[in-house]
Each structure stands twice: as structure tokens, then as C-alpha cells.
Amino acid sequence: MVKDLSHLLSEESKGRKPSPLKSAFKYYGKEDIVFLGGGLPLADYFPWEKIVAYSPEPPFEDGIGAQPSVTGKSTISEVHKHKVEEFDIPLARSLQYGHTQGNPELIDFLKEHTKMIHNVPYEEWDLCLTIGNTQSWEACIRSFCNPGDSIFIEEYTFPSAVETARNLGVNFVPMKMDAFGIIPSALAELLENWDKSKPLPKLLYTICTGQNPTGSSLGYERRKELYDLACKYDFVIIEDEPYYFLQMTEYQSGKEEEIKTPSHEEFLKSLVKSFISMDTEGRVLRLDSFSKVLAPGTRVGWIVGQAALLERFVRLHEVSIQAPSGFSQTIVQALLGRWGQSGYVDWLIAMRKEYSIKRDFTIKCLEKYMPKEVVSWTPPIAGMFFTILLDASKHPDFATKYDSDPLKVEDAVYEQGLKDGCLMIPGSWFVAPNRKNTSGTTFFYRGTYAAVPLDTLGVGLERFAKAVKSEFGL
Amino acid sequence: MVKDLSHLLSEESKGRKPSPLKSAFKYYGKEDIVFLGGGLPLADYFPWEKIVAYSPEPPFEDGIGAQPSVTGKSTISEVHKHKVEEFDIPLARSLQYGHTQGNPELIDFLKEHTKMIHNVPYEEWDLCLTIGNTQSWEACIRSFCNPGDSIFIEEYTFPSAVETARNLGVNFVPMKMDAFGIIPSALAELLENWDKSKPLPKLLYTICTGQNPTGSSLGYERRKELYDLACKYDFVIIEDEPYYFLQMTEYQSGKEEEIKTPSHEEFLKSLVKSFISMDTEGRVLRLDSFSKVLAPGTRVGWIVGQAALLERFVRLHEVSIQAPSGFSQTIVQALLGRWGQSGYVDWLIAMRKEYSIKRDFTIKCLEKYMPKEVVSWTPPIAGMFFTILLDASKHPDFATKYDSDPLKVEDAVYEQGLKDGCLMIPGSWFVAPNRKNTSGTTFFYRGTYAAVPLDTLGVGLERFAKAVKSEFGL
């Protein structure tokens, strides 16, 4: 049963009221009322009559990177100021004020998509557009946290997510992780031994699939254990899931060439169960985004969660962002409407294939170039990131030149990498505030296979391996 | 000389740091470095190859509402994933992460525009894109105000602007107004008699041209006096100026038909001098927006002000909105680039003409329909709003049925208006918090001539006049 979680809201969020003008807007558009109430410019004055966008056409057999000019097939989205296609958002509406939650056509598409993927197990869920997951997360912080409140975060996490909250007087409580993400038993222990004089954290923030920076992914069992802890200790889980659809099959050494295109059914079945899909109490907020699957510059994300909580987000948006760009909503929905749910799944499958190829190539390069005496890795099963783990104690000058400080070795290899012509980010840059160091002499680097083509990726990894070898005297 | 105003920043804003990853990003794009540092999807995977937008073509002799299909003239903006026109923002960049401040092409256009219109009198000014003025204002509040801080606001103001700040523990100090906006002498008196045990307000928030809700506009002399007070008492002026380009010539009864199209020079000279144009100390933040001159759904606004303050806004945006939509930036800049500064001024002149026609028609209707015994007005010289002032003491049942309470008469006429088929917003809905009522028996309604065509406007005003008459027994 869905719980009332309003006691967890921040003072800022609790007190937000709808605009007093709202009571008048119920008369807007009524035939027998001349509405002189709102400062809305006439759509006649919007200087865009028509927009035509050219996109690839499902089922993307030539890959998602293939240009329509090469394949000869395009999805052409022609949208007008006034409505033509049933599923389109006409420019006269998307470019006007209103629809803080999002235009109904796009909301409907995303709700149908959400049902298909997550099958949220309660009735009273809703969906609200945002400007992407960074803004969604900011809205979560502002909606739940008063200064002095605590939140759980992964012990290595996205620094911007920390920076969003850090300066608002929020107290970070890091959660221990291993190669497969948060360790539920360690969190359970932390909660059992919680100092009862201090309030429990209100939120658990996790990038649970293809985690940034570790590349780890939480499996179903761990998610279930964490969800049970959320219910027991009354906190909200924020699942920040930009990489959810970049899930791949497990890496199998030597089988890189055999990437198959699954059926829709196989694909949907292969996806890890999300927190929201097991959320019987309505205590999960799922942050989704087009940034990694269509393009970051759409600046369109969305939150899925219980309606009573999302209403608080809409109130916040009314007095801040108002709504995502109308151009973005119209153009994205024009494409999704033409592709349909099925074409969109085709796209997601084709995208997964691209990332699988890149992941496999990356691991093959690591196997080929890296000195296994000092470097190890766990092939990621999702996302854009991989990490390589190094052991500083294997460095011949560890105790002397580097004062037995692994971070000094980490820095030296980073600098040597730059000299040799490849940049990977030192793991220590992602350390969560208040984390107790339990890594001993190991340290890691985060790399990505997302941002460069395969050949460049190979060159980079060979260079970084060279830097490691020369630093470690191998 | 530009002043260091960092002492006015909020604790939240003072402490914001750039992302640690930023130090790595200086290597991004360097030829000799393979950059595996950032989780950026390849632009090859963005499913938009080309966008074509159809817009009216300067100089808009047939009016801005005329469709290109009618005039036969279109500005066709064709933008590609990779760069074609020098002034275009290619989709590969606008749809990618980055450029929190805004893409350089659009920033450059707006800076040139700002120089032409405002000629900011110091060197170190900058410009930062936002998601529109509501978000700009939210960013101002979060950047300057700690809980308990005070801000000056107009005694009648936009309720959403209040709601943005209200729940953050900000104390509102209303400023007295008349038909021409804030009364500087009243503010000077307030400041002279300020209780020295309490800190002075940090911000003065004003919608100074075509004010919402009163429709009043601050003239040059008043602006100068207010600016001098800001310097003397060390506060920042936030000029929220969505209606700046909806400035008209003064209304002259009987001369409604003679609206001329001014030359560019005449037009530019006719615009009231902004606060930023007299800002020798760098203590004005100007909030500008495309919402009222192009379309609200662009969700693109911008702030002009001293660079050191704007840097704080960029840090906030990095961990919240990131940047305005890439589609919006590309499409807006594609149009502005093709129109050029001159074509954009043509558009602004043509827009001013439309609003002048509507304003004149509105006043003509008021003159024709309203009972002058109880209703008065000051023709607005800018913006979308007009107000009608009523005197409740002229109501025959004021002392009896309405307990000598003007708000009860205000409500009765509002309700009668709805019955008669026209909605205008009661002025009391716009009263700022903490305002002391000094209006005696008068009250007002806010109407807009923006949102409806002329014929509907006429019908509405006739209906509302009927409601007033029937309520007042005339």
C-alpha cells in the first residue's frame, strides 16, 4: 500500500502553494467567458510556422550511427503551429505557457513506455517532466532536505551530484560498495548501529545501473534487499538511471564478435528489474532521461513516482523552470510518435549493440595491453564507464618516493598518462564526502568507451597501459 | 567603478565550487590526447541529422501575425548536425553536454544586441543564458538570500515571483507605487528610517516596464533615483524586463488610427533607459527573455550583469539546469542569425505596432463602455496589461451589504463579470506580503489585451462594463 511520505518533505517543499491565479485559469478556454486573465502572447505572433526534422528510420539495421543519407531511409517529422497528427504537440501549444508537468502527448508516450518497462506495482503513480537528471536531483534535494538532514550516497559517486547538495547543509552518509555496487549487508549494519540521537537519512541516492564512476550495476537481489531497508527505516530511494538502457549481455572473453540482435521480448526480459518495479509503498523516485539514449541537449528528463510527491515537484517547477523547452517537447514527441513504442525499442536495442561492441573492444584492449601484475578490472554490464584497479604496493618506489601513499602513485600515473597522450580520471576524484578509506593500497581510474570511436579508444588504452608500465618499471 | 558585491551573496552561492572534473576538461579536444574522461555520447548517435524551420521574413510589412504562406515570404532556417552557416549552432554541439553559459553564437548575438540597446557603462559585464525569467529570478533568490534576509518588492507584484521566494524564509519589504510605478521618495524615506538593528534588504526586485499587474512603467528619472539609492544603501537591483520591447508611444485619444512605423533609429531612441544602462557600479542584474517577443516555450532567457556575479550563476546552473535546451538554442539562433540584428529590430518594431493597436483599442473600449462615475484608468505605455480602478464608496450598498469593505465589492464585481462572461483578475490577488493597505476605498482589476484578438477583447470589455454597472446599480 502506498504510504503517505509527506513527513519526509523539506520545509521549503511542504509550504509551497499553487499560484492564486490558478483558480482563475479554470475559466481559460471556456466558450462563454472572454478570458482577460493571463499574459499569454498570441500564438499568431510566434515566428515559427513549421518545423521539419530528419531522423533515422527503424529498425536501424545499419546501426544507429548510420546517417539517413547513407541508408536512404528517414523518419521525417513535420510539425506545424496547429495540430496535424494526433500524437504531435502543435507548436502553438508547446511554445506557449502552461503544462508544467509536460505536454499530454509526451507524458502519455512515456507513461506507456514506463508501464511496459517497469510495470509500477501501484495505481497512484505519476510522471513529471524535468530538465534532465541533474535538475531532477536538485529538485529532490530541495524537496526533501532541510539543512542538517542526511542522505545516503555511494562511496564513489558523480561529483556534480554531490556538488548539487553539498552546499545546502546536507550531511552525506557514504555506503560501502564492491564491484557489484552497494553492499546491502553493510548498509543494514550501518542502520542497525545508527546513533538513535540523530535522525535517519531521508534519501538513498544511487546510480544503480552502469554506475558513475565505477561502472558497476546492482543486481535484482541487492535492489530487493535495499528496498526492504528503505521500508524498514522509512527513507526514499532516488534511482538515478540515465544508463538504464545501456545494459549489455555479460562479457565473454573471445566471444566479442557474436553480438546478436535480440527480439523485443528477449530485450525487455533481459533488463534488470528497477527499484520502481518493486515499489509497493511508493517510496521510490525514478529519475529517467533522454540524455544518454537520444541526446543530452534535449534537456528533457522525467521523474516517476507516487502522485502526491510529484505534485510537490510540479509546484516547485511552476516557480522555477516552468517546463522543458517546447521545441524539445515537440521535436522529441514528433520522433517518438512516428517511431512508436516499437520503433523506440528498436532504437534502444540498436544502441545497446553499439555500446556492447565498444565495451567488448575495451576489455579486449585491456587484456591485450595492461600489465596484469598491477592492473585488474571487472567488465561492466551497463553504462558508459569502465574502471581499472591498480595496486600501489606493487610499485617498486611505493614506500620511498611515494611515502606509502597510494594517492601519490595515482597522481603520478595520471600525469604520465597525460604525457603519453591518454587521459583517464583518477578514482579519488569521485570519493564521496565523509568516506572512510578502506581501500588499502589499491586505487582506480575511470575511463569511458562512450566518447570516442573504436580506433581512437584502442590507441588511448595502449598509451595508458604504456604509462602504467613505465611508472611501475615494467 | 564596478564594486565587489560578493558580501551580498548567500551562503549557498558563496560556497559553490566548480566540478573537480573541470580541471581534466581542459584536455578535451586536444589533438595529442585521447580523452577518456567524460561520459559524452557520440554525436553520431543523436537521431537528428537536420532541422528546417519556417518563419516570417523581415521587414514584416504585413504584420507579425501574417503567415508566411500568406505573404509568400519565409525565412527558412536549415541547420545540420555539423556546421554549415558561420552563425549557426550545429546540432552535434547544441545537443551535446557543455556550454552551461550558452553556446557562443547565441551569446555573441545577444551581447551585440545588449550593446546596441543598453550600452552597459562598464567593461566587465557578461551574459548568461537561463530557462526564462522565472528561473532567472529563482537563481537570484538562491544566489543572494539566506533565510531571514530581506528584499524590496513592488507593493503589487507577480504572485509567482513572490511564491518563488516566499517559502525560503525571505522577508518581503513592499515599496509604495503610483500609476507610474515605484515612488522613489517613499523608498528613500523608508531607507532613512530603517531600523538599524536589522540588516538592509539585499535585493530590489522590479518589473519596471509594463509592470505586472499594474501596467505602469518607470520613467528615466525614477530609475535614476532608485539606482542612486541602491548605491547609497548597497543593494542589488533585479530588473525583470520581459515586456521591455512592448513599449508604445503614449496613448492619445482620437489618434488611434495613426500608428506609424518608426525608423530603427527612432525606435531605439524611444526606448526608456534601463537600469543596466546607468549601472556604473555593476549592481544591476537584468533579466531578459524571449518569452514575450518570440515565444514562451523557447524557455530561453538571459541575465546581464557583472561577470563576477554571473560566474556564481553558472556554478549554480552546472548542478541544476545545466543549460537551456539545445533545440531551442539552435533554432532561435538560426532565426536570429538569418534575420540579423536589423531584422530582429524589424520584428520588435512590428510587435510593438501590434500591441499599440491592441492597447489603443482597449482604451477606446474603456472610454466607450465603462461608467466613468466609478471607473478610471491610466493608459499603459508598455506591456500586456491594463488596469481599471474602481471606487467602492460609490457603491450604494457599500456600508450596508459590504460592511464598508472594498474587497467584498471587488469580489462581487469579479463574480458578476464571470456571470456576464468576462474574466479580469482582482487587484487584491497581487498584493505583496506585508503591504500596509493605503488604498482607502479603491480597488482594481488587471486585464490583458495580449491573449485575445481585437473583436473578442471588445466583447469582453463591454461585458465587464455591464457587470460593473449592474453591480453599482448604474
Side-chain angles (χ1 to χ4, degrees):
Chain A
M1 214 190 74
V2 174
K3 299 264 161 129
D4 177 358
L5 299 179
S6 56
H7 59 283
L8 294 177
L9 290 169
S10 66
E11 292 308 311
E12 169 180 338
S13 182
K14 272 179 193 163
R16 284 209 187 280
K17 292 175 187 161
S19 165
L21 298 184
K22 228 180 161 165
S23 65
F25 266 86
K26 68 180 176 222
Y27 297 106
Y28 181 66
K30 287 213 171 177
E31 212 172 287
D32 52 345
I33 301 258
V34 173
F35 189 85
L36 304 182
L40 310 179
L42 282 180
D44 291 349
Y45 302 166
F46 301 162
W48 290 281
E49 295 304 322
K50 181 172 81 170
I51 288 180
V52 190
Y54 296 79
S55 304
E57 172 86 357
F60 317 107
E61 291 116 334
D62 304 300
I64 58 167
Q67 316 287 306
S69 55
V70 174
T71 66
K73 286 183 285 184
S74 285
T75 293
I76 299 175
S77 307
E78 184 175 316
V79 281
H80 294 252
K81 200 179 257 190
H82 299 286
K83 193 130 183 165
V84 181
E85 297 286 351
E86 199 50 50
F87 50 71
D88 277 336
I89 311 169
L91 293 167
R93 170 146 51 79
S94 70
L95 295 182
Q96 188 54 279
Y97 288 111
H99 296 288
T100 297
Q101 195 173 350
N103 277 281
E105 295 84 352
L106 183 51
I107 293 274
D108 286 351
F109 187 95
L110 290 172
K111 279 192 173 170
E112 205 183 323
H113 168 79
T114 301
K115 268 181 210 156
M116 177 172 69
I117 307 290
H118 304 292
N119 193 22
V120 185
Y122 61 93
E123 287 291 318
E124 310 89 327
W125 65 275
D126 207 347
L127 191 152
C128 163
L129 297 193
T130 72
I131 309 290
N133 287 18
T134 305
Q135 187 261 317
S136 301
W137 170 233
E138 188 213 9
C140 288
I141 290 289
R142 303 220 189 253
S143 297
F144 289 101
C145 296
N146 297 315
D149 279 350
S150 296
I151 59 176
F152 288 121
I153 49 168
E154 287 150 325
E155 62 174 333
Y156 293 101
T157 190
F158 182 40
S160 282
V162 170
E163 193 54 33
T164 302
R166 197 184 49 79
N167 214 30
L168 302 174
V170 170
N171 177 41
F172 297 97
V173 182
M175 297 176 286
K176 283 199 70 62
M177 302 168 76
D178 61 16
F180 307 99
I182 306 163
I183 307 168
S185 60
L187 185 67
E189 203 187 315
L190 185 66
L191 283 161
E192 272 158 36
N193 299 312
W194 192 262
D195 176 353
K196 298 282 186 298
S197 71
K198 289 179 188 159
L200 284 164
K202 283 175 159 181
L203 305 179
L204 183 158
Y205 174 75
T206 172
I207 309 162
C208 35
T209 314
Q211 205 255 355
N212 185 359
T214 64
S216 64
S217 294
L218 275 175
Y220 172 71
E221 288 303 325
R222 287 196 179 195
R223 290 181 196 229
K224 187 77 186 75
E225 286 177 68
L226 291 171
Y227 183 73
D228 290 344
L229 289 173
C231 295
K232 183 171 173 189
Y233 291 98
D234 191 29
F235 55 84
V236 169
I237 293 178
I238 311 289
E239 57 171 342
D240 184 2
E241 281 284 55
Y243 313 108
Y244 186 75
F245 284 111
L246 309 183
Q247 293 180 54
M248 311 149 193
T249 49
E250 290 209 10
Y251 176 78
Q252 293 183 285
S253 190
K255 292 204 174 173
E256 301 84 0
E257 311 304 325
E258 296 176 36
I259 295 167
K260 283 180 201 145
T261 300
S263 69
H264 285 202
E265 205 188 331
E266 286 165 346
F267 173 73
L268 296 177
K269 222 179 138 181
S270 76
L271 297 169
V272 64
K273 265 178 86 81
S274 60
F275 280 107
I276 198 102
S277 73
M278 56 185 75
D279 183 22
T280 47
E281 295 196 348
R283 57 171 70 251
V284 174
L285 290 174
R286 180 176 174 85
L287 316 187
D288 261 310
S289 165
F290 288 126
S291 288
K292 303 300 193 289
V293 292
L294 296 179
T298 59
R299 304 313 310 131
V300 177
W302 60 98
I303 308 179
V304 181
Q306 63 156 295
L309 291 178
L310 288 192
E311 184 270 345
R312 294 286 86 195
F313 284 78
V314 174
R315 291 287 92 73
L316 169 60
H317 289 177
E318 278 172 353
V319 295
S320 55
I321 60 161
Q322 300 231 23
S325 153
F327 285 124
S328 287
Q329 291 191 59
T330 279
I331 293 172
V332 167
Q333 171 58 18
L335 182 62
L336 295 176
R338 280 161 184 79
W339 281 358
Q341 296 288 346
S342 167
Y344 186 45
V345 171
D346 283 337
W347 178 261
L348 297 171
I349 288 173
M351 172 153 284
R352 160 196 165 117
K353 187 172 177 180
E354 300 283 339
Y355 281 95
S356 297
I357 292 169
K358 293 186 126 184
R359 188 270 319 261
D360 287 358
F361 181 79
T362 300
I363 303 300
K364 213 160 64 173
C365 289
L366 294 178
E367 288 173 351
K368 187 167 166 192
Y369 300 126
M370 288 293 167
K372 285 170 206 70
E373 313 89 285
V374 292
V375 182
S376 64
W377 56 86
T378 303
I381 55 166
M384 296 181 154
F385 301 110
F386 64 97
T387 51
I388 54 172
L389 196 70
L390 281 79
D391 188 345
S393 70
K394 307 235 168 108
H395 195 293
D397 307 327
F398 182 50
T400 54
K401 188 175 169 192
Y402 296 113
D403 308 323
S404 298
D405 182 353
L407 292 189
K408 289 185 179 169
V409 185
E410 185 193 67
D411 194 48
V413 175
Y414 172 69
E415 292 294 339
Q416 187 59 44
L418 284 176
K419 278 181 206 148
D420 287 335
C422 178
L423 184 146
M424 285 177 64
I425 309 274
S428 64
W429 296 15
F430 301 97
V431 168
N434 306 324
R435 175 180 178 265
K436 286 190 191 68
N437 190 359
T438 54
S439 311
T441 58
T442 62
F443 61 94
F444 74 91
Y445 296 93
R446 184 196 78 173
T448 178
Y449 38 79
V452 289
L454 284 190
D455 48 351
T456 318
L457 186 59
V459 171
L461 289 171
E462 185 171 6
R463 288 178 181 175
F464 204 83
K466 186 173 160 241
V468 173
K469 284 182 208 157
S470 77
E471 254 303 313
F472 277 76
L474 298 167
Chain B
M1 214 189 75
V2 174
K3 299 265 161 126
D4 177 358
L5 299 178
S6 56
H7 59 282
L8 294 177
L9 291 169
S10 66
E11 292 307 311
E12 168 179 339
S13 183
K14 272 180 193 162
R16 283 208 188 281
K17 293 176 186 162
S19 164
L21 298 184
K22 227 180 163 164
S23 65
F25 265 87
K26 68 181 176 222
Y27 298 105
Y28 182 66
K30 287 213 171 180
E31 212 173 286
D32 52 346
I33 302 258
V34 174
F35 189 85
L36 305 183
L40 310 180
L42 283 180
D44 292 349
Y45 302 166
F46 301 163
W48 291 282
E49 295 304 321
K50 183 172 81 171
I51 288 180
V52 190
Y54 296 80
S55 304
E57 171 86 356
F60 317 108
E61 292 114 334
D62 304 300
I64 58 169
Q67 316 286 308
S69 54
V70 174
T71 67
K73 287 183 287 184
S74 283
T75 294
I76 300 176
S77 307
E78 185 175 315
V79 281
H80 294 251
K81 199 179 257 188
H82 299 287
K83 192 128 182 166
V84 182
E85 298 286 353
E86 197 49 50
F87 51 70
D88 277 336
I89 310 169
L91 294 167
R93 170 146 50 79
S94 70
L95 295 183
Q96 187 55 278
Y97 287 111
H99 296 285
T100 298
Q101 195 172 350
N103 278 279
E105 295 85 352
L106 183 51
I107 293 274
D108 287 350
F109 187 96
L110 289 172
K111 280 192 173 171
E112 206 183 323
H113 168 79
T114 301
K115 269 182 210 156
M116 178 171 68
I117 306 291
H118 304 292
N119 193 23
V120 186
Y122 61 93
E123 287 290 318
E124 310 88 327
W125 65 275
D126 207 347
L127 192 153
C128 163
L129 297 194
T130 71
I131 308 292
N133 287 18
T134 305
Q135 187 260 317
S136 302
W137 170 233
E138 188 214 10
C140 288
I141 291 287
R142 303 222 189 253
S143 297
F144 289 101
C145 297
N146 298 315
D149 281 348
S150 295
I151 59 177
F152 288 121
I153 49 167
E154 287 150 324
E155 64 175 331
Y156 293 101
T157 191
F158 182 41
S160 283
V162 170
E163 192 55 32
T164 303
R166 196 184 52 78
N167 214 32
L168 302 174
V170 172
N171 177 41
F172 298 97
V173 182
M175 296 176 287
K176 281 201 69 64
M177 303 169 76
D178 61 17
F180 306 99
I182 305 164
I183 306 168
S185 60
L187 186 66
E189 201 187 317
L190 185 66
L191 283 161
E192 270 158 38
N193 299 313
W194 193 263
D195 177 353
K196 297 283 185 299
S197 70
K198 288 180 189 161
L200 285 163
K202 284 176 159 180
L203 305 179
L204 183 158
Y205 174 75
T206 172
I207 308 163
C208 36
T209 313
Q211 206 255 356
N212 185 357
T214 65
S216 65
S217 294
L218 275 175
Y220 171 72
E221 289 302 326
R222 288 195 179 195
R223 289 181 197 228
K224 188 74 185 76
E225 286 177 68
L226 293 171
Y227 182 72
D228 291 343
L229 289 173
C231 295
K232 183 171 174 187
Y233 292 98
D234 191 29
F235 56 83
V236 169
I237 294 178
I238 310 290
E239 57 171 343
D240 184 2
E241 281 284 56
Y243 312 108
Y244 185 75
F245 284 112
L246 309 185
Q247 293 181 54
M248 312 149 193
T249 50
E250 290 209 7
Y251 176 78
Q252 292 183 285
S253 189
K255 292 203 175 174
E256 301 84 1
E257 310 304 326
E258 296 175 36
I259 295 166
K260 284 180 201 143
T261 301
S263 69
H264 285 203
E265 206 187 329
E266 287 166 343
F267 173 72
L268 295 177
K269 223 179 136 182
S270 75
L271 297 169
V272 66
K273 267 178 85 79
S274 60
F275 280 108
I276 197 102
S277 73
M278 56 184 77
D279 183 22
T280 48
E281 296 196 348
R283 57 171 69 253
V284 174
L285 290 174
R286 180 176 174 83
L287 315 187
D288 261 311
S289 164
F290 288 126
S291 288
K292 303 301 192 290
V293 292
L294 295 180
T298 59
R299 303 313 311 131
V300 177
W302 60 98
I303 309 180
V304 181
Q306 64 156 296
L309 291 179
L310 288 193
E311 185 270 345
R312 294 286 86 195
F313 284 78
V314 174
R315 290 289 90 73
L316 170 60
H317 289 178
E318 279 172 354
V319 296
S320 54
I321 59 161
Q322 301 230 23
S325 153
F327 285 124
S328 287
Q329 291 192 58
T330 279
I331 292 171
V332 167
Q333 171 58 18
L335 183 62
L336 295 177
R338 280 160 184 79
W339 280 359
Q341 296 288 347
S342 169
Y344 185 45
V345 171
D346 283 338
W347 178 261
L348 296 171
I349 288 173
M351 173 153 283
R352 160 196 165 118
K353 188 173 177 179
E354 300 282 339
Y355 281 94
S356 297
I357 292 169
K358 292 186 128 184
R359 188 268 320 259
D360 287 358
F361 181 79
T362 301
I363 303 300
K364 214 160 62 174
C365 288
L366 295 179
E367 288 173 352
K368 187 168 168 191
Y369 300 125
M370 288 293 168
K372 283 167 207 74
E373 312 90 285
V374 292
V375 182
S376 64
W377 55 87
T378 303
I381 55 166
M384 296 181 154
F385 302 110
F386 64 97
T387 51
I388 54 172
L389 197 70
L390 282 78
D391 187 345
S393 71
K394 307 234 168 111
H395 196 292
D397 307 328
F398 181 51
T400 51
K401 188 175 169 194
Y402 296 114
D403 308 322
S404 298
D405 182 353
L407 293 188
K408 288 187 180 168
V409 184
E410 186 195 67
D411 194 50
V413 175
Y414 171 71
E415 293 294 340
Q416 186 59 43
L418 285 176
K419 278 181 207 147
D420 286 336
C422 178
L423 183 145
M424 286 177 64
I425 309 274
S428 65
W429 295 16
F430 301 97
V431 168
N434 306 323
R435 174 179 178 267
K436 287 190 189 68
N437 190 359
T438 54
S439 312
T441 58
T442 62
F443 61 94
F444 74 91
Y445 297 93
R446 185 195 79 174
T448 179
Y449 38 81
V452 289
L454 284 190
D455 49 350
T456 318
L457 185 57
V459 171
L461 288 171
E462 186 172 4
R463 287 178 182 175
F464 203 82
K466 183 174 163 239
V468 173
K469 284 183 209 158
S470 78
E471 255 304 313
F472 277 75
L474 298 168

